[in-house]
Amino acid sequence: MGEHINNPVPVVAIVVAAGSGSRLGADVPKALVPVAGVPLLTRAVAQLAAGGVGEVIVVAPVEGREPFVDALADAPVPVLWADGGAERQHSVAHGIALLPDLPEADADAQVVLVHDAARAFVPPEVVGRVIEAVRAGADAVVPVVPVSDSIRELVDDGSTVVDRASLRAVQTPQGFRRGVLEEAHWMVAESGVAVTDDAAAVEFSGRQVTLVEGSRDAFKVTEPLDLLLAEALVAQGRA
Ligand code: C5P
């Protein structure tokens, strides 16, 4: 018992960084693209650690691992490495496979986050909110922000407006009780469905998803314009 108090089970974050990021047009993988000289991956891990994450599992491309390892040489938390898969959900599954061996009760209750390396500027408060909501009993937690654009849905013969007041954009880190995440990914793999994020996998497994407030700063660096915004955030001392 005493040992348990001194060594609480750490919050683990699986950081997916195995995408090519071709929309960014950079000559290095997206996670290694520097903003004010510091790679997105380095920044993402620092933000997670500041928000309460104690260990990260980074899912990186199989080839060209060295610069990824260099980017986290001075990481504030221990880092494990997993191989990227063909789709994001396979990359996450490879990360799940590396979660530490723990006694069953500890493993089931462990808080596991899944985060896109490209959301390198997520504020620590958002990370903390997600962790707290899982600790408070949620199976799966998703940070969201309101949608500012008007949205139209394409239908067979044209398009139709969607009420944006009822829409939310989904961010990461998403948080889970480990047992829930493992079960959801197992079910997704068994059935062969495609999911774009882990909350969708959990919903597919029949469980509820809880929403918490995200942040505009947790935007996903996707296109060249996003890099300008990222540089501006750093220049203003917001990251
Ligand atoms: O492509 P998209 O921007 O949605 O990818 C979101 C995140 O998933 C990125 O951080 C990317 O590196 C990661 N990813 C991955 N393995 C893949 C595809 C995407 O780790 N096969």
Short mmCIF file of all heavy atoms in Angstrom, two decimals, residues 16-19 23 30 59 85-88 91 116-118 220 222, ligand 1:
data_model
loop_
_atom_site.label_atom_id
_atom_site.label_comp_id
_atom_site.label_asym_id
_atom_site.label_seq_id
_atom_site.Cartn_x
_atom_site.Cartn_y
_atom_site.Cartn_z
N VAL A 16 0.76 10.16 -31.20
CA VAL A 16 0.90 9.64 -32.56
C VAL A 16 1.61 10.67 -33.44
O VAL A 16 1.18 11.82 -33.56
CB VAL A 16 -0.45 9.20 -33.18
CG1 VAL A 16 -0.88 7.86 -32.61
CG2 VAL A 16 -1.54 10.22 -32.98
N ALA A 17 2.71 10.22 -34.02
CA ALA A 17 3.57 11.12 -34.79
C ALA A 17 4.07 10.45 -36.06
O ALA A 17 5.13 10.77 -36.57
CB ALA A 17 4.76 11.55 -33.92
N ALA A 18 3.29 9.49 -36.57
CA ALA A 18 3.77 8.69 -37.70
C ALA A 18 3.17 9.12 -39.04
O ALA A 18 3.39 8.45 -40.05
CB ALA A 18 3.51 7.21 -37.45
N GLY A 19 2.42 10.22 -39.04
CA GLY A 19 1.85 10.69 -40.32
C GLY A 19 2.88 11.46 -41.12
O GLY A 19 3.86 11.97 -40.57
N ARG A 23 0.30 17.67 -46.41
CA ARG A 23 -0.40 18.94 -46.68
C ARG A 23 0.42 20.15 -46.24
O ARG A 23 0.18 21.27 -46.65
CB ARG A 23 -1.76 18.96 -45.96
CG ARG A 23 -2.83 18.19 -46.68
CD ARG A 23 -4.09 18.08 -45.86
NE ARG A 23 -3.94 17.17 -44.73
CZ ARG A 23 -4.89 16.93 -43.82
NH1 ARG A 23 -6.05 17.55 -43.91
NH2 ARG A 23 -4.68 16.08 -42.84
N LYS A 30 5.97 15.72 -40.39
CA LYS A 30 5.32 16.86 -39.73
C LYS A 30 5.75 17.03 -38.27
O LYS A 30 5.97 18.15 -37.81
CB LYS A 30 3.80 16.70 -39.81
CG LYS A 30 3.05 17.83 -39.15
CD LYS A 30 1.64 17.98 -39.66
CE LYS A 30 0.68 16.96 -39.14
NZ LYS A 30 -0.71 17.23 -39.53
N VAL A 59 4.59 7.18 -31.09
CA VAL A 59 4.46 6.30 -32.25
C VAL A 59 5.05 7.05 -33.44
O VAL A 59 4.52 8.09 -33.85
CB VAL A 59 2.99 5.93 -32.51
CG1 VAL A 59 2.91 4.87 -33.59
CG2 VAL A 59 2.31 5.45 -31.22
N GLY A 85 1.69 2.74 -37.88
CA GLY A 85 0.91 1.81 -38.70
C GLY A 85 0.39 2.51 -39.93
O GLY A 85 0.63 3.71 -40.13
N ALA A 86 -0.36 1.77 -40.76
CA ALA A 86 -0.84 2.31 -42.04
C ALA A 86 -1.82 3.46 -41.84
O ALA A 86 -1.79 4.45 -42.56
CB ALA A 86 -1.50 1.20 -42.84
N GLU A 87 -2.70 3.34 -40.85
CA GLU A 87 -3.68 4.39 -40.54
C GLU A 87 -3.47 4.81 -39.09
O GLU A 87 -2.90 4.06 -38.31
CB GLU A 87 -5.11 3.86 -40.70
CG GLU A 87 -5.44 3.30 -42.07
CD GLU A 87 -5.52 4.38 -43.14
OE1 GLU A 87 -5.70 5.57 -42.77
OE2 GLU A 87 -5.38 4.03 -44.32
N ARG A 88 -4.01 5.99 -38.76
CA ARG A 88 -3.85 6.49 -37.39
C ARG A 88 -4.29 5.44 -36.36
O ARG A 88 -3.63 5.25 -35.35
CB ARG A 88 -4.66 7.78 -37.21
CG ARG A 88 -4.48 8.44 -35.85
CD ARG A 88 -5.43 9.61 -35.69
NE ARG A 88 -5.23 10.33 -34.45
CZ ARG A 88 -5.71 9.96 -33.26
NH1 ARG A 88 -6.40 8.82 -33.18
NH2 ARG A 88 -5.50 10.66 -32.18
N SER A 91 -1.65 3.03 -35.68
CA SER A 91 -0.56 3.64 -34.90
C SER A 91 -0.93 3.66 -33.42
O SER A 91 -0.11 3.34 -32.55
CB SER A 91 -0.28 5.07 -35.39
OG SER A 91 0.30 5.04 -36.69
N ASP A 116 -2.36 13.89 -30.70
CA ASP A 116 -1.70 14.11 -32.00
C ASP A 116 -0.49 15.01 -31.77
O ASP A 116 -0.63 16.13 -31.24
CB ASP A 116 -2.64 14.86 -32.96
CG ASP A 116 -3.84 14.04 -33.37
OD1 ASP A 116 -3.77 12.79 -33.30
OD2 ASP A 116 -4.85 14.65 -33.77
N ALA A 117 0.68 14.56 -32.24
CA ALA A 117 1.88 15.38 -32.10
C ALA A 117 1.67 16.75 -32.75
O ALA A 117 2.26 17.75 -32.34
CB ALA A 117 3.08 14.68 -32.73
N ALA A 118 0.82 16.79 -33.77
CA ALA A 118 0.60 18.04 -34.50
C ALA A 118 -0.16 19.08 -33.67
O ALA A 118 -0.18 20.26 -34.03
CB ALA A 118 -0.15 17.74 -35.79
N LYS A 220 -4.63 21.77 -34.74
CA LYS A 220 -3.71 20.79 -35.35
C LYS A 220 -2.95 21.46 -36.48
O LYS A 220 -3.55 21.97 -37.43
CB LYS A 220 -4.52 19.61 -35.87
CG LYS A 220 -3.65 18.51 -36.46
CD LYS A 220 -4.43 17.22 -36.67
CE LYS A 220 -5.47 17.35 -37.74
NZ LYS A 220 -6.11 16.07 -38.06
N THR A 222 -1.61 21.66 -39.70
CA THR A 222 -1.94 20.85 -40.87
C THR A 222 -1.44 21.48 -42.17
O THR A 222 -0.90 20.82 -43.04
CB THR A 222 -3.47 20.66 -40.97
OG1 THR A 222 -3.96 20.15 -39.73
CG2 THR A 222 -3.84 19.67 -42.07
O1 C5P B 1 -3.55 12.89 -40.75
P1 C5P B 1 -3.97 13.55 -39.50
O2 C5P B 1 -3.47 14.97 -39.37
O3 C5P B 1 -5.40 13.39 -39.11
O4 C5P B 1 -3.14 12.76 -38.36
C1 C5P B 1 -3.35 13.03 -37.00
C2 C5P B 1 -2.17 12.48 -36.21
O5 C5P B 1 -2.06 11.08 -36.39
C3 C5P B 1 -0.83 13.10 -36.59
O6 C5P B 1 -0.15 13.47 -35.42
C4 C5P B 1 -0.14 11.97 -37.34
O7 C5P B 1 1.26 11.98 -37.17
C5 C5P B 1 -0.73 10.73 -36.72
N1 C5P B 1 -0.75 9.57 -37.63
C6 C5P B 1 -0.04 8.41 -37.29
N2 C5P B 1 -0.06 7.32 -38.13
C7 C5P B 1 -0.74 7.36 -39.29
C8 C5P B 1 -1.47 8.53 -39.65
C9 C5P B 1 -1.45 9.62 -38.80
O8 C5P B 1 0.61 8.37 -36.24
N3 C5P B 1 -0.69 6.29 -40.08
#
